[in-house]
Amino acid sequence: MLTIGFVLLAYLIGSISFAIVSSKLFGLPDPRTFGSKNPGATNMLRTGNKLAALTTLLGDGIKGWVAVALAIHFGLPHGLDVYGLALVVIAVTLGHMWPVFFSFYGGKGVATALGILLALDWRLGAAALGTWLLMLAAFRISSLSALTAALVAPLAAWWWLGNSPLTGSIVVLSALLIYRHKRNIADLLRGKESNVGQKAGDLEQS
């Protein structure tokens, strides 16, 4: 029962879309209606409102951290085991990608994944973030940076967490993130993927 409670809570926390919250807060169009139509920080940046994009980025990252941190600090001492914690990791990811509050139309999970990794072990978060920043500086393509970080995360988890259910949950998280980027992968292969900061109108015309 405890595991079900924390898994359900994690899914509901994940279902809060900060891109949509930010769009309402700053009087911007629904992010599902312009640009890449993805409710995430990169698409919010296409509005030109950097504060809205930052709010989205931080909000989505913090919710991933909060869901896992709650399970660690309040679940583990009261009987939640490592398998339950692994399910929490997957649940908050599923909540972000398929949120119950927004007709199951969610984001791709990059910021939320970073928050999850930081909550599990700061070294995992640092490895993923460092990879993302390095790739972004080199290529200026957010999706390529995210995909590379998604490939690095399970390796980092295996290195620091070993053969653990948590490592398995990070493999699932990364697989889900890559799946959600399938359109971006196709655009990358065609050489048509947009750069960070490209305006929504430019993206729709490209």
Side-chain angles (χ1 to χ4, degrees):
M1 201 66 174
L2 182 69
T3 298
I4 294 173
F6 275 101
V7 168
L8 180 60
L9 178 62
Y11 174 77
L12 294 176
I13 291 173
S15 290
I16 302 170
S17 175
F18 280 90
I20 298 175
V21 171
S22 296
S23 69
K24 294 183 182 297
L25 182 64
F26 292 96
L28 299 170
D30 189 314
R32 296 169 294 181
T33 64
F34 65 83
S36 66
K37 297 181 172 56
N38 176 61
T42 300
N43 203 33
M44 291 298 292
L45 188 60
R46 294 188 176 105
T47 66
N49 192 319
K50 295 181 180 179
L51 185 56
L54 180 61
T55 301
T56 301
L57 180 69
L58 292 177
D60 283 344
I62 290 170
K63 75 180 181 185
W65 184 89
V66 166
V68 176
L70 286 174
I72 290 172
H73 294 289
F74 296 101
L76 293 182
H78 295 92
L80 184 72
D81 60 18
V82 69
Y83 292 96
L85 183 57
L87 291 176
V88 165
V89 167
I90 297 171
V92 67
T93 304
L94 292 174
H96 176 78
M97 294 178 177
W98 293 281
V100 67
F101 303 132
F102 299 101
S103 304
F104 302 102
Y105 190 105
K108 296 176 182 175
V110 179
T112 301
L114 177 60
I116 291 168
L117 294 176
L118 287 170
L120 290 174
D121 190 317
W122 69 268
R123 295 171 297 182
L124 301 180
L129 179 60
T131 301
W132 188 86
L133 290 172
L134 182 63
M135 293 297 291
L136 189 67
F139 298 101
R140 299 289 298 168
I141 301 176
S142 178
S143 60
L144 180 61
S145 304
L147 288 165
T148 307
L151 293 174
V152 167
L155 297 176
W158 178 81
W159 181 263
W160 280 302
L161 302 181
N163 186 19
S164 162
L166 293 177
T167 300
S169 71
I170 294 172
V171 171
V172 173
L173 184 159
S174 293
L176 288 169
L177 194 150
I178 291 169
Y179 170 75
R180 292 289 284 166
H181 280 80
K182 59 183 183 297
R183 178 180 171 184
N184 302 90
I185 294 171
D187 287 341
L188 283 167
L189 293 174
R190 294 199 308 264
K192 293 186 176 182
E193 183 68 333
S194 60
N195 294 330
V196 171
Q198 188 172 343
K199 297 294 186 180
D202 295 337
L203 181 61
E204 289 166 351
Q205 294 168 12
S206 63

